Amino acid sequence: MKRFNYQLEIITVIVTVMLLEGCHSFEKKNVQIGLIADLSGTMATYGKWVKEGAELAVAEINSNSTQKIDLSFEDSKSDPKSALSALEKLYNINKIRMIVAGNSSSCVMAMAPVVNDKKILLFSTLASSPNITNAGEYVFRNRISGTFESQSMAIEASKLGMKSIAILATNNDAGIPYIKAFTDKFKEQKGEIVASILINPGQSDFRSYALLIKTLRPEAVFLVTTVDQAVNFINQSITIGFTPKWLGISSLKTDQFITNGGKNVEGAIITNEGIDQNGKRYIEFSSKYFKKFGENPTIYAVNGYDAIHLLYESYIRTNNIEMVKYELLRNSFSGAAGIIKFDENGDVVKDLELLKVEGGKFISIK
Amino acid sequence: MTFLQILINIIYTSCIVILLSYSFAISYYPVKFFNITFAAIISTGAYLTYLLFRQLNIILWIAIPIATFLSAFIGVLFNIFIYRPLNKKKASSLLMLLVSLGIYIILQNCISLLWGDEIRSLQIANVKIGHEIFGAFITNVQIITISVSLTLFMLTIYFLEYNKIGKCIRAVSTNKELASIQGINSERVILWTIGIGSCLAAVAGILVATENGLTPTMGFNLLLSGVIAMIIGGVGSNCGLIGGSILLASAQQLTAYYMDSKWVDAVAYLILIMFLIWRPLGISGKRLKKIEI
Amino acid sequence: MEYLLHLLILITIYIMLAQSLSLIAGFAGMISLAHAGFFGIGAYTTAILSVNYHFPFLITLPVGMVICGIIAILISTIAIRTVDDYFIICTIGIQIVIFSIMNNWMSLTNGPLGISGIQPINIFGLNLSNKLPFLLLSIIFTLAIYMFLRFIIKSGFGRVLKAISEDEIYTQSIGKNVYLSKVTAFAISAMIAAIPGVLYAHYISYIDPTSFTVDESIFILSIVIIGGMRNLMGILIAAAFLVLLPEALRFIGLPNLIAANLRQIIYGIILIVVIFKSDTIGFTIVTKE
């Protein structure tokens, strides 16, 4: 066994450390909240936003109130198995029973059975899949469901007088739910879907798709993709002389969309979760966020920020996880996103608004 | 008009793939292991250009060569300090592959640390409609990319054919032992191949970045397409390499246009598998001992 | 220590996967990157059968294995015509096609949304929803697979496989059926890979295609490479090492801003150092003079 000496030694060290940590009793004076987010891997950008929003909330709480908060980060690496390991670690080692999740719906779905079994509160800030709605009584989220978002977009699009639309969506849990909801609703409004194209996560060459959609001559293209893919698609379409109206979902409301898209994204219309952009909380939050991280907050940062505040406030009032659950279901809260309420499935109830890119800014239109 | 546009797309994509697969192939022949570090070199080149051009405001035509040489330097450093000692220990090629995977993880995360995971833009000019040729469009960047990759490809082949170092590289690639008997320092030659390969890979990364922007993980898929093109072409042949690249690019672009979009990957790879079964040794069909059963 | 039990279960699953890959990659010299695909086929078979038709574990397990075996035979009769690097590329292609089917055949696999609500294993009235009994079950399977593979390797068939990986032409010339042996080995390996798939689906209770990508195949191959291509005991240690290492890094306190990336960097460094320090000379397969 000589050749495995080093590996064996390392394994022994690892297991010892884990056992020691497990026996180590934590000081539990502070409110314990965990954050499991995709901080590396394909979804890293999104996880980072949630984390930054959460960090800001924690800093705020810890400087303002006597009852402080301990936030423990774990990386789920955009992988369901890793998310589950992180959850087991936070629950068993750090004894945390309130967790904010900043990862894709497949990670949330993998964690959901354990969470319901062990009565841990899981607060998803990022996943838009309709799966989450029925993921269990201990799973909450303040990202609106993709179904709702795409239905609203379909109605708004037909109000804007659009008759034919092509859909470009990522072929994963973040893209698929939008297609059917949008298609059904738009057909109801007597519109026509000329094509729905599925792209791979991580793909960046869309020239053939742009060409294909160009030959079908839709009035608009609905982009259900990440920011980089949306910008690449728009740029590559423009180089072959294809300039329809661009529609998008709220994941596009980022500074990168404007800076990388430049003039080409002018006039693009996207949905946005009903954030009261003129609300006092939001203005305060966004200026603080801008000062700390140098960019305007995305919807995910807002959700991460609100999630921490919600859990903290409910926990302070009740001091009991079960009660926090009822508190979340019963009450409405005011956060950076405005008034936040949850339905009986733990899904957030929010309005949607439309934003239009004008002069390098997102302008609200009604 | 549509057909012409697809043709332009295929030419553009295959030129990038040619450059990628050649950059990989040139160092694959002498060392004979899949060096995944190249995936990181591709993104390093692009990010260094971004650093010099966008963040330090150095003129693009100076920034690109500096970035290219710096990435080549990184590639060579890794070779000296990691692959060379491993090679001395007679590590198997699979173990070397795993080490290169480790280096890729390290470099990719360093890039994430320094520049973040979000997409960065390296557009040289404003994106606008390209030049029209019979109803199809081609942009300046595409023309530059096609000409740069073909020029570099030709230059490297010329270098390998007529330069003394180039000849040494070919000798070592064909037969290491025999080359050593002739007094060629194979270690130094391998460094040359890594250097040249890294330069080409970095240029390819920069060219792609000017069109598609930069992300830390951009290199992996690019490298994969380069490796596949090389293997389909048949190891050890320049013409096969061009053929492999064109086949791969056509399979991708044509299936994307004509197939249901969600089956594009599956169909593109099925075509490649079918091709490999029809010609198990790639386009060039260089003989391997094993297959002659 | 539920956390440790969870990790042990993951380790046993990867041991099974890596050992089954070792049969073809180590002994028969066919480096396959399609193993996560077979892992996934096993998991999906169980998920579909148990969620839609409420089949018990003892039925879904053999069904999953048989389906994996049939698909492996179909694939390998074609793929085995290629050798060495070409075989690797071929298996990457197969892996991508299998992933594509899982991701896009909405009516069967529910596509990217995955299948949730897979019931825990229930054998003869024993409910294995807790981690400890589940771990015992997967250890039993791991041991069984280990014994089975040892048996195969020691048998005449195993010697033929070793001979093939050394010299195909010679093996052919002494009258062994190289082609048939390779197909058989491939099928057996795929069937064994279905077992951890079935266990995994019941354990996590939710599966989606992203768990069965090329990355996963590369990870399984890494275990085999670090463990030593033909070393079943080594694979055991390597699996424990590669699963535990990223988890152990969670315990290193690092500044929040850079923690995630820094952990990955440390992971990479330790991986390289371990390969350097252990005297694994390894087993050359891809390149042969």
Side-chain angles (χ1 to χ4, degrees), chain A residues 44-45 48 197-198 200 204-205 207-209 211-212 214 228 232 235-236 238-241 256 260 264, chain B residues 5-6 9 12 117-119 121 123 127-130 137 139 142 211-212 253 256-257 261-262 264-265:
Chain A
T45 342
K48 195 196 80 184
I197 303 238
L198 291 166
N200 287 328
S204 56
D205 181 354
R207 288 182 184 80
S208 297
Y209 296 139
L211 183 62
L212 179 65
K214 186 189 175 190
D228 47 334
N232 274 336
N235 283 342
Q236 289 169 10
I238 283 167
T239 58
I240 59 162
Q256 294 158 29
N260 293 335
N264 300 328
Chain B
Q5 187 68 56
I6 296 177
N9 289 349
Y12 169 71
D117 287 300
E118 60 266 28
I119 183 178
S121 159
Q123 281 161 13
V127 179
K128 57 172 195 279
I129 187 163
F137 297 92
T139 61
Q142 281 173 327
E211 273 283 281
N212 296 348
Q253 299 287 338
Y257 188 81
S261 60
K262 62 185 181 184
V264 164
D265 266 10

Side-chain angles (χ1 to χ4, degrees), chain C residues 180-237:
Chain C
L180 187 67
S181 312
K182 278 180 152 187
V183 172
T184 318
F186 200 84
I188 291 176
S189 167
M191 283 171 83
I192 297 176
I195 299 175
V198 172
L199 290 172
Y200 175 82
H202 279 290
Y203 175 61
I204 305 270
S205 87
Y206 166 81
I207 53 167
D208 75 323
T210 59
S211 304
F212 312 108
T213 54
V214 182
D215 294 4
E216 197 70 12
S217 285
I218 294 176
F219 184 72
I220 300 168
L221 185 62
S222 314
I223 298 175
V224 179
I225 295 171
I226 291 192
M229 299 296 286
R230 288 178 173 180
N231 188 336
L232 293 181
M233 277 310 277
I235 285 168
L236 216 130
I237 294 166

Side-chain angles (χ1 to χ4, degrees), chain A residues 30-35 49-73 98 100 281 285 288-289 292-293 301-313, chain C residues 256:
Chain A
N30 297 345
V31 180
Q32 301 284 327
I33 295 181
L35 176 77
W49 283 325
V50 175
K51 180 181 148 247
E52 287 176 349
E55 268 179 337
L56 201 64
V58 171
E60 238 174 61
I61 291 168
N62 282 352
S63 65
N64 290 339
S65 49
T66 48
Q67 176 65 287
K68 296 201 188 316
I69 221 175
D70 281 340
L71 188 63
S72 317
F73 296 99
M98 290 190 288
V100 178
R281 275 296 278 284
F285 164 72
K288 264 188 199 166
Y289 189 91
K292 196 161 176 186
F293 302 109
V302 177
N303 285 349
Y305 175 85
D306 277 347
I308 296 284
H309 269 292
L310 279 181
L311 289 177
Y312 174 77
E313 281 164 24
Chain C
N256 276 331

Side-chain angles (χ1 to χ4, degrees), chain A residues 80-354:
Chain A
K81 272 189 299 298
S82 209
L84 194 59
S85 301
L87 176 71
E88 294 280 356
K89 191 230 157 192
L90 283 181
Y91 177 69
N92 289 306
I93 307 272
N94 303 42
K95 314 281 184 226
I96 289 173
R97 295 189 60 197
M98 290 190 288
I99 284 165
V100 178
N103 38 32
S104 64
S105 34
S106 49
C107 289
V108 177
M109 288 306 288
M111 291 191 284
V114 181
V115 162
N116 290 314
D117 186 38
K118 302 276 194 268
K119 301 192 178 3
I120 309 167
L121 269 181
L122 188 72
F123 205 102
S124 169
T125 53
L126 207 149
S128 58
S129 155
N131 265 351
I132 313 269
T133 306
N134 303 315
E137 49 174 344
Y138 286 88
V139 182
F140 287 79
R141 72 163 152 191
N142 62 354
R143 169 94 167 94
I144 48 163
S145 155
T147 320
F148 175 57
E149 193 171 1
S150 41
Q151 282 169 351
S152 316
M153 192 50 163
I155 294 168
E156 295 297 337
S158 73
K159 271 188 198 159
L160 291 169
M162 292 171 189
K163 288 276 172 274
S164 62
I165 288 183
I167 308 173
L168 185 85
T170 319
N171 193 1
N172 62 9
D173 50 356
I176 292 291
Y178 286 84
I179 295 180
K180 194 176 175 311
F182 187 84
T183 311
D184 290 350
K185 202 73 190 175
F186 196 60
K187 281 189 177 148
E188 223 172 77
Q189 311 287 322
K190 306 272 180 294
E192 189 197 359
I193 303 290
V194 295
S196 43
I197 303 238
L198 291 166
I199 56 172
N200 287 328
Q203 190 180 350
S204 56
D205 181 354
F206 308 114
R207 288 182 184 80
S208 297
Y209 296 139
L211 183 62
L212 179 65
I213 297 178
K214 186 189 175 190
T215 56
L216 298 171
R217 299 174 196 281
E219 282 172 64
V221 178
F222 182 39
L223 301 163
V224 190
T225 62
T226 56
V227 181
D228 47 334
Q229 291 182 322
V231 172
N232 274 336
F233 184 80
I234 291 173
N235 283 342
Q236 289 169 10
S237 298
I238 283 167
T239 58
I240 59 162
F242 175 50
T243 49
K245 288 200 172 63
W246 304 109
L247 306 176
I249 55 169
S250 48
S251 67
L252 299 186
K253 188 189 169 276
T254 61
D255 285 2
Q256 294 158 29
F257 188 64
I258 305 273
T259 49
N260 293 335
K263 278 209 176 68
N264 300 328
V265 300
E266 281 290 310
I269 296 171
I270 64 170
T271 53
N272 187 36
E273 291 186 12
I275 292 175
D276 182 9
Q277 305 238 26
N278 302 318
K280 193 164 147 274
R281 275 296 278 284
Y282 180 78
I283 292 171
E284 199 184 318
F285 164 72
S286 84
S287 69
K288 264 188 199 166
Y289 189 91
F290 192 83
K291 217 191 248 164
K292 196 161 176 186
F293 302 109
E295 60 179 347
N296 289 313
T298 59
I299 181 70
Y300 308 106
V302 177
N303 285 349
Y305 175 85
D306 277 347
I308 296 284
H309 269 292
L310 279 181
L311 289 177
Y312 174 77
E313 281 164 24
S314 320
Y315 188 77
I316 288 295
R317 250 177 286 163
T318 58
N319 251 324
N320 178 321
I321 300 293
E322 278 304 304
M323 292 305 291
V324 171
K325 195 184 92 188
Y326 291 117
E327 193 85 347
L328 287 176
L329 287 174
R330 204 173 336 123
N331 285 2
S332 63
F333 302 83
S334 83
I339 304 296
I340 303 163
K341 260 183 86 66
F342 296 91
D343 65 11
E344 70 279 5
N345 294 318
D347 267 355
V348 75
V349 183
K350 273 186 195 172
D351 285 335
L352 276 180
E353 57 172 351
L354 284 195

